[in-house]
Amino acid sequence: MQYRPLGRTGIKVSPYALGTLMYATRMGNEPQESARIIHKALDAGINFLDTGDAYGDSEEVVGEALKGRRENVVLATKFGMPAGEDPNQRGTSRRWIIKAVENSLRRLQTDYIDVYQIQRLDPTTDFEETLSALTDLIRSGKVRVIGSSTTPASDIVEAQWVAERRGLERFRTEQPPYSLLNRSIEREVLPVAQRYGMGVMVWGPLGQGMLTGRVRRNQENNLVRARLFKHLSDERRIEVVERLLPLAEEAGMSLTHLAMAFTITHPGVTSALAGARTLAHLDDLIAGFDVQLSDDILDRIDEIVPPGTDVGTLDQDYVPEALQNSHLRRRPGTERAAA
């Protein structure tokens, strides 16, 4: 395994990381089976695990599986998504951050978190409030590095400037979506992250299942997510998959290996998060460790999906408040005419 620097943090991580959303028991896995997958991944050289407090009982499953192996793992988790009916059990306020980190530490059975990330921006909270609380966590030793997830480039820059002006710890990592089907982060997010020396671990490298070859034109598929997310039935995305499949075959590799290798080829990407739900999925990931894409293959991918573009929109993508709230994009009725 060729370990890569996580930005300029000094931490070294594997190019493929293990995303653990699928290890929540509500997703169908038994904790013992999830532990076997995690142990096999660690034995194969993967040293980077990512979870989140909104992933059901994933943190508990991961914490139990890492007993006796915690020191050799770079452990990342996230906060900010709703954790209950209480309106204050979410977001990025100091009040919630202090509570959320204690909850995660308990569930993970550890006394520190390597990478603690905001899962989504909270437009109701100042960056200064959030970074101040996260800075205190670093100084207390409960957190090593802080980061963000699915964040627009402009907000990444603002957070960096707030940290510098206020003498606070800054975000050192970003976790955006990235795949053969979603390349928009190449336009601004990755260049900005590179400028600030941030480590980048991308989620969704297999397009939430579309790049496994199981979603085909005019064919039924058994993906559980296909019943939940519209982007898994988007005809534009299916058309691109149909064009990528023969390219992978011609290159002598599976579509999953092509997709995973593509994401870690960009110099701004540190690691790609793979959600291996079964041992067979993990075995396939391990079998692709040595896959390297030639310039010719990358050029042909660029012809199918031009750099910096998305094919359709992910259901889980970040939508700014200015688009969600109609009052922020419509003047009052009395002010809408020119005269």
Side-chain angles (χ1 to χ4, degrees):
M1 187 71 70
Q2 297 186 35
Y3 296 96
R4 297 177 170 184
L6 184 62
R8 292 200 289 266
T9 65
I11 299 171
K12 299 295 197 310
V13 296
S14 48
Y16 290 156
L18 199 60
T20 65
L21 168 63
M22 302 305 290
Y23 303 151
T25 52
R26 63 182 172 84
M27 304 301 288
N29 270 24
E30 292 295 327
Q32 296 83 356
E33 179 66 9
S34 296
R36 281 191 286 271
I37 297 169
I38 291 171
H39 294 162
K40 187 167 186 177
L42 298 181
D43 293 339
I46 292 175
N47 75 336
F48 197 9
L49 269 65
D50 177 80
T51 183
D53 66 2
Y55 293 174
D57 61 352
S58 173
E59 286 186 324
E60 287 98 326
V61 172
V62 169
E64 192 67 25
L66 291 183
K67 281 184 175 179
R69 306 190 69 163
R70 170 68 184 92
E71 293 303 314
N72 297 319
V73 173
V74 179
L75 183 58
T77 192
K78 297 179 288 293
F79 71 95
M81 301 296 279
E85 295 299 321
D86 190 321
N88 289 310
Q89 292 182 333
R90 66 192 68 188
T92 63
S93 68
R94 171 179 285 273
R95 185 180 191 274
W96 177 236
I97 288 172
I98 300 305
K99 180 65 175 177
V101 76
E102 294 295 345
N103 290 341
S104 288
L105 289 169
R106 183 185 69 256
R107 289 189 290 258
L108 290 166
Q109 300 184 51
T110 185
D111 56 4
Y112 70 98
I113 294 166
D114 293 294
V115 186
Y116 198 43
Q117 308 154 95
I118 297 175
Q119 189 157 359
R120 291 293 186 277
L121 292 180
D122 177 7
T124 68
T125 308
D126 286 340
F127 272 129
E128 183 176 356
E129 165 87 0
T130 301
L131 292 173
S132 174
L134 292 172
T135 296
D136 288 345
L137 295 184
I138 290 177
R139 291 173 179 170
S140 70
K142 294 179 180 179
V143 170
R144 302 293 190 255
V145 169
I146 57 174
S148 53
S149 177
T150 318
T151 309
S154 58
D155 288 301
I156 293 175
V157 173
E158 182 181 354
Q160 295 286 328
W161 275 97
V162 169
E164 182 173 333
R165 286 198 305 269
R166 300 302 185 189
L168 301 171
E169 294 286 343
R170 63 188 182 90
F171 290 140
R172 309 300 297 273
T173 66
E174 165 61 14
Q175 187 180 136
Y178 186 50
S179 72
L180 287 165
L181 299 172
N182 291 91
R183 302 183 59 179
S184 61
I185 65 169
E186 295 173 346
R187 187 176 296 274
E188 290 187 337
V189 170
L190 287 178
V192 165
Q194 288 174 281
R195 185 184 313 160
Y196 288 108
M198 300 173 72
V200 175
M201 54 276 223
V202 299
W203 60 267
L206 296 180
Q208 285 70 57
M210 289 206 76
L211 296 170
T212 62
R214 295 166 63 189
V215 180
R216 302 293 304 275
R217 185 193 295 125
N218 301 324
Q219 292 184 17
E220 293 289 329
N221 71 77
N222 60 354
L223 284 178
V224 175
R225 291 179 175 182
R227 299 193 295 270
L228 304 175
F229 300 126
K230 295 178 181 178
H231 66 253
L232 289 172
S233 58
D234 188 320
E235 288 297 329
R236 295 167 297 175
R237 294 167 70 83
I238 293 174
E239 174 60 30
V240 170
V241 170
E242 294 294 334
R243 296 176 65 188
L244 290 169
L245 278 164
L247 176 60
E249 184 177 355
E250 184 180 331
M253 65 184 70
S254 67
L255 181 58
T256 55
H257 290 174
L258 177 76
M260 292 299 301
F262 168 79
T263 58
I264 64 169
T265 296
H266 194 289
V269 173
T270 309
S271 296
L273 292 164
R277 188 176 63 83
T278 67
L279 283 169
H281 292 162
L282 179 62
D283 288 338
D284 183 60
L285 178 69
I286 294 171
F289 278 1
D290 294 329
V291 171
Q292 180 173 302
L293 303 185
S294 67
D295 286 342
D296 176 62
I297 294 296
L298 293 169
D299 289 342
R300 294 176 65 182
I301 288 172
D302 288 348
E303 293 173 3
I304 297 171
V305 183
T309 64
D310 285 340
V311 182
T313 304
L314 291 170
D315 294 66
Q316 311 102 309
D317 206 1
Y318 173 72
V319 180
E321 186 72 13
L323 298 184
Q324 295 184 55
N325 189 340
S326 63
H327 297 295
L328 298 179
R329 47 188 167 82
R330 298 176 185 172
R331 290 178 179 273
T334 57
E335 300 177 7
R336 294 178 188 175

